[in-house]
Amino acid sequence: MAEQEGVIKYQLDHEEAPLPDAMDIEPLVLWREKLVECGLVGQDPERYDGYGFGNLSMRLDEGFLITGSQTGEVKDFQIEHFAWVRQADPEENRVLSLGQTPPSSESLTHAAVYAALPEVRFVFHAHSPDIWRRASELHVPETAPVPYGTPEMAREVARLLALAETRAQRLFTMAGHEDGVLSFGATAIEAGEALLGALWRAQT
Ligand SMILES: [Zn+2]
């Protein structure tokens, strides 16, 4: 495996505190369960040196809610496994967050999607060898082979999202991040369908 999964590479200013009870985590909990079932998110001793993989987020009025760092093995996902990214600056490589768990190492990549597309409310990052290996054959847009969770990746995301094709597919792969795929949508269903539809195409 090229690079270790789940390593936080940005400057993190994280306040360890409970998230407000009023936060609606349901859509992310339901879709995470679905993606874990499909082997797109989770933790598996046979994959990526046993490190957790994949993460999901939802835009809020201020920032976004994202699954926490290294929570891949969690079965019963609760509010304490999420982090609230209040500010994220890909160029400054900085993240300001709050929660009982630090935010995903790929928070800057999610932030880049939210910054580029105001209508997007959900971002799902998954790992799929099927989609990743057949990306060019399936005409799925691909980033250049840059490392995950970095300002370079954020710039690559902005470049891809400027293309109508990427916005139409609501999906792209990350060439420098083994099996890395990212989908997005105005609703959780849109983001989920883009990912599961590509998985279906890749497996049939
Ligand atoms: Zn990843």
Side-chain angles (χ1 to χ4, degrees):
M1 162 143 188
E3 52 173 1
Q4 186 185 327
E5 184 76 17
V7 177
I8 291 180
K9 300 173 184 174
Y10 49 76
Q11 293 164 43
L12 176 60
D13 182 351
H14 180 71
E15 180 186 347
E16 188 153 345
L19 291 177
D21 285 338
M23 277 193 174
D24 178 18
I25 63 171
E26 202 58 24
L28 292 182
V29 169
L30 290 177
W31 271 98
R32 183 182 175 279
E33 275 169 22
K34 182 71 192 165
L35 300 185
V36 168
E37 271 171 38
C38 299
L40 294 167
V41 167
Q43 185 157 350
D44 177 341
E46 306 295 313
R47 298 172 69 185
Y48 323 117
D49 301 326
Y51 288 93
F53 56 94
N55 30 74
L56 296 84
S57 72
M58 174 175 69
R59 189 196 290 269
L60 300 171
D61 293 341
E62 179 197 344
F64 55 90
L65 186 69
I66 190 165
T67 50
S69 182
Q70 288 305 313
T71 56
E73 85 287 351
V74 176
K75 298 284 177 282
D76 180 20
F77 222 79
Q78 300 288 338
I79 194 156
E80 61 264 26
H81 301 117
F82 286 96
W84 176 14
V85 172
R86 308 188 71 176
Q87 286 170 26
D89 185 330
E91 277 318 312
E92 296 288 317
N93 201 26
R94 295 175 65 86
V95 167
L96 173 70
S97 58
L98 179 142
Q100 289 164 271
T101 305
S104 162
S105 61
E106 289 161 297
S107 295
L108 281 180
T109 308
H110 289 245
V113 178
Y114 290 125
L117 302 176
E119 72 279 12
V120 166
R121 293 195 56 249
F122 291 86
V123 174
F124 296 169
H125 167 56
H127 280 247
S128 167
D130 299 306
I131 299 171
W132 198 73
R133 290 175 190 156
R134 298 187 65 192
S136 51
E137 188 193 329
L138 296 169
H139 307 292
V140 172
E142 296 180 82
T143 70
V146 296
Y148 76 86
T150 61
E152 293 88 344
M153 177 62 81
R155 281 192 286 274
E156 265 299 290
V157 169
R159 179 184 67 79
L160 278 187
L161 294 178
L163 307 173
E165 182 54 29
T166 314
R167 297 196 302 275
Q169 290 200 35
R170 295 200 300 272
L171 181 91
F172 60 84
T173 62
M174 305 149 91
H177 185 41
E178 188 182 0
D179 304 337
V181 185
L182 188 141
S183 74
F184 53 91
T187 64
I189 290 176
E190 275 193 2
E193 279 177 350
L195 195 50
L196 296 180
L199 183 66
W200 176 259
R201 292 197 306 278
Q203 292 179 337
T204 54

